[in-house]
Structure formats: structure tokens, C-alpha cells
Amino acid sequence: MSLGKTRGRPAAAPPPPLDLWRVRDFVVLWWAQVTSRVGTQISQFVLPLLVLDATGSAGTAGLITALEQVPYVLLAIPAGALVERWNRRVVLVGGNFLRAGMFGLLAGYLLAGGTSIPAIAATVFCSGVVYVFFDVANSTVFPRILPAHELARATGWVEGTTALTEVLGPALGGALVGLGTHALQGAGYAFGVDALTYLVAGLGVLCVRTSLSPPPAAVRTPLGASIRAGVGHLLGDGRLRRLALANFVNIVALGTVWLSFMALMKSEFHLDSTHTGLLLALGAASGILGSFCSGILDRRLGPYGVMLLAGAGWAAGELIIAAAPAPWVAVLGLALALWVAPPYFSTLYAYRMAIIPQEMHARINSLYRLLAQAGLPVGLSVGGLLLDTVGARAFLLLVAVVFLATAVTVQLRAPRAPAPAADPP
């Protein structure tokens, strides 16, 4: 039975697909996302390298990088209910402009010779606070612009361009760092470009014509009751609960992939920031191919089959990196791990939206993403400390075991298709 169909009812003919290129507001928002994500990928590449260079500690780099995700853990539950009451255009524009100002100030500070790690950490944390509300609005805005039957395809487009930004971001970040006479100055250039991308994205959202104001019912619903209803539904649905827990574990492990790859390149192969960025870009290019395979894999394997494939791919990729005798072999492992990521996330999103009541999409999606975002600081902080303790290769072996164990566990709890009815005598 296909997702979204009701057992026992005849399947209605699917509506004809839209030409998404002609849906103006979707294209505007999509390209605004692409622009801001390029800057985000630059910062996510530069930040751990900057802290690694300044402190020499992978643990400190992991903790500082994780600070941007901590506000999600603290604020996601009320943010989901609050964003339902606010004009999402204001949230998106304000989020982009605020982050442009924060990273612009950080760029000026570094270019002026500033070296304070606490100042960098404060900027990262404040950016994370803004990101909570921005992300909740951003993850629920497409249903206001597109019909429900187009959401899965639109998500595939988003995953594909996300993979593209994972190629461009590290390459640009490494090149920008290389322009400086030292790491702090190069990081200043990189954060300045990041600020510019947020500014352009905010201007793009201002061009959206569709009303993103909240419905009157959302404003009238008591905030506490809205939050309790969302939490109760997530905890009460066994499928959602198990998938959210498994996704949390996967995100914990995924949060360490780039950090462990960087640590391996630096500690054992002695590569500089520019070469590490280029290698990361080469590995991330496979994610673009993975995004094109998402629909095919979903149709052939189903959601739980895709989850098993992703877990096996991540485990195999980590094992290849761990055993790599040269950087180019490690890139092959990274490419395998990143190839399976877009099918996993797009399939999981489509399945999740199919089993969540439409009127609760924003609240439950924010709770679901809370668990995912909580996994990032856990993975970065714990992963950084373990990297310092056991080394990159042993740590990669441990992560491979986690990926495989999670995939097998999810597969064992997959819903089984009903047995066919017996033929009458």
C-alpha cells in the first residue's frame, strides 16, 4: 500500500504534477534557502577549523560548534507553537537579517585582530537562538505555497540543493581562509561572506507574494494547550516515537562525520585548510547524486528499506575512512556516507508528513526537529572528546557500529504488510 492511501478505499487518481519552476513563490523561497545555506556551510566548515587552529583541541572545537545547536534544545517546543501564531514572512526575513548582522560583526572583529574564543562562542550561541525560530518557520512554509501532493517532490529539490551547498561551502570556506595571512583573518573573510548570503536571502523572502500570516484559530488557541497537544500526539504514536528516537541516534553519529574527517586529515595526513575543504567538497558531491536517487529508492524499497540502506551506507563509509591509507581513499568513504543521506532525509520527511495530522504539522515537526537538533551538540561535544581520547580511526569504527545497530533495530520494528486473505474453498 502506498503512503497516503487509506486501507479499504479505492485510490484516487493522482493530480497532475505542477511545473515547480512556474510556481514563483516556491522558486523565490527555494533560492533564498540555497543562498543562505551556502553561507551556513562556509561557517560550519570554518568554525571548527578556526577553533582547532586557535586551541589545538578537537574537544574544544566540538563544544564551540555545538553551541549553535543548544538553543534548539531549549526553545524548540515553545517556538513551534509561537511560530504558528506569527507571520512567517516576518520570522524568515528577521532571522536572515539578524544573522547577517551577527556574522558581519564577527567578521569585523576577527579582521580587526580579535582573538577571543568566548566572543566567537557568544556569536555562535546567539545565532543559534535566532535559528530556532527561523528553522521552524522555514520547515513549514512550503505547505502554504504548494499543494500537498507536491511536497515530497519539492523536498527532493531542497535536499538536492542542500547537497550542492555541501560541495560549495567547504570549497569556498577553504579558499576564503586561504586568502588570509593567518587563520583568524581568513575566518573573518569567510564569516563576512556568510553574512552577505543571509542578507541576500532576507531580501529574497521580501519578494514572496503569498500571505504567510497565521490563521485566526491558531492565534486564539491557548499556547499551553497547543504545546500539550503536540507533545501528546508525538509520544502517543508508536511509529513517530520510534522513528524520532532512531533519527536522534543517527544525527548524533552524523554530527561527528565531518569533524572526525577533519581531525584525520589534520592529525595523520597533515593537510591544510584549503586542501581539507576541497576533499570535503569532493566527498559531498555524491550527495547531489543521492538526491536524484531519492524518489527511485523510496518507490523500490519503501521508507524502512531506505532507512536500512542509509544505515548500512553510513557504516560502510565510516569503515572505509577508518582504514584509509591515503586521503583519496578517505574521500571515497565520505562520498558513500554522504550519498545515502539525501534519500534518508527526504524519505523520512515524506513518511513523517504522511502520518502526522495536517493541522499539527508545525508543532510536531518542531518537536521532531528538536530531537534531531539535540543530537548535533551531543555528537559534536562527545565526539570531539572521544576524538581527543581514542584518535580518529578508533572513533570512526565506533560510529560505524552505532549506525549499523540503529538501522537493524529500526528494521526489526518496521510495520509488516497484512497477510493476504485466504482463497475461499
Side-chain angles (χ1 to χ4, degrees):
M1 184 177 68
S2 300
L3 293 178
K5 296 180 182 178
T6 304
R7 186 179 285 109
R9 296 181 183 178
L18 295 177
D19 182 356
L20 293 180
W21 285 109
R22 294 183 179 274
V23 183
R24 176 188 177 278
D25 284 353
F26 166 71
V27 174
V28 169
L29 280 172
W30 178 42
W31 282 105
Q33 288 185 9
V34 172
T35 304
S36 66
R37 281 177 176 168
V38 169
T40 299
Q41 291 296 330
I42 291 173
S43 290
Q44 288 181 349
F45 170 76
V46 170
L47 181 61
L49 283 179
L50 171 63
V51 181
L52 270 173
D53 186 81
T55 66
S57 168
T60 303
L63 288 170
I64 296 297
T65 306
L67 275 177
E68 192 166 22
Q69 310 304 328
V70 171
Y72 218 108
V73 180
L74 303 176
L75 300 174
I77 291 178
L82 287 170
V83 168
E84 287 186 343
R85 301 159 177 264
W86 296 344
N87 187 315
R88 295 179 196 185
R89 185 203 310 271
V90 175
V91 178
L92 293 174
V93 172
N96 276 310
F97 285 173
L98 283 171
R99 288 189 293 170
M102 290 175 187
F103 283 102
L105 290 173
L106 179 59
Y109 173 75
L110 294 174
L111 291 172
T115 59
S116 171
I117 295 298
I120 297 170
T123 302
V124 169
F125 183 83
C126 291
S127 172
V129 172
V130 175
Y131 175 75
V132 178
F133 296 93
F134 173 87
D135 184 61
V136 171
N138 193 50
S139 66
T140 57
V141 73
F142 283 156
R144 304 287 293 272
I145 295 171
L146 294 170
H149 68 275
E150 292 291 350
L151 290 179
R153 188 156 63 101
T155 304
W157 286 32
V158 172
E159 289 294 331
T161 50
T162 297
L164 179 62
T165 63
E166 290 175 351
V167 175
L168 296 176
L172 289 173
L176 289 167
V177 171
L179 292 176
T181 57
H182 51 81
L184 288 173
Q185 185 183 63
Y189 293 142
F191 289 131
V193 172
D194 187 13
L196 181 61
T197 64
Y198 291 137
L199 179 62
V200 172
L203 293 173
V205 178
L206 283 174
C207 299
V208 173
R209 296 172 181 170
T210 303
S211 173
L212 300 178
S213 299
V219 178
R220 291 195 299 266
T221 304
L223 182 62
S226 180
I227 293 172
R228 287 193 297 272
V231 173
H233 187 90
L234 177 62
L235 295 179
D237 190 311
R239 295 167 300 173
L240 284 173
R241 188 173 62 248
R242 287 191 294 271
L243 290 177
L245 180 59
N247 192 55
F248 169 78
V249 176
N250 281 330
I251 293 293
V252 169
L254 281 171
T256 68
V257 170
W258 280 34
L259 184 62
S260 56
F261 184 89
M262 290 178 186
L264 184 67
M265 295 301 104
K266 183 179 180 66
S267 63
E268 298 206 18
F269 298 118
H270 310 292
L271 297 183
D272 59 21
S273 299
T274 301
H275 287 93
T276 300
L278 289 173
L279 291 176
L280 281 169
L282 286 173
S286 66
I288 301 173
L289 177 61
S291 68
F292 289 120
C293 299
S294 297
I296 298 173
L297 292 173
D298 185 27
R299 289 192 298 271
R300 296 289 180 86
L301 303 178
Y304 285 88
V306 171
M307 290 178 218
L308 180 62
L309 174 67
W314 285 327
E318 297 289 275
L319 291 174
I320 293 171
I321 299 172
W328 69 267
V329 179
V331 170
L332 294 178
L334 182 68
L336 174 59
L338 297 180
W339 175 74
V340 296
Y344 170 82
F345 286 113
S346 61
T347 299
L348 192 61
Y349 176 83
Y351 181 55
R352 184 168 79 244
M353 292 297 102
I355 62 178
I356 295 174
Q358 186 174 9
E359 67 274 12
M360 304 184 80
H361 274 180
R363 275 170 286 167
I364 296 180
N365 205 45
S366 69
L367 292 166
Y368 201 97
R369 292 173 72 84
L370 162 63
L371 291 174
Q373 294 291 337
L376 288 174
V378 171
L380 286 166
S381 55
V382 175
L385 294 173
L386 286 174
L387 278 165
D388 283 341
T389 304
V390 303
R393 294 187 187 272
F395 176 75
L396 286 161
L397 293 174
L398 174 63
V399 174
V401 172
V402 171
F403 277 133
L404 193 58
T406 303
V408 171
T409 301
V410 169
Q411 189 67 19
L412 291 175
R413 300 303 301 271
R416 305 302 174 192
D423 293 331

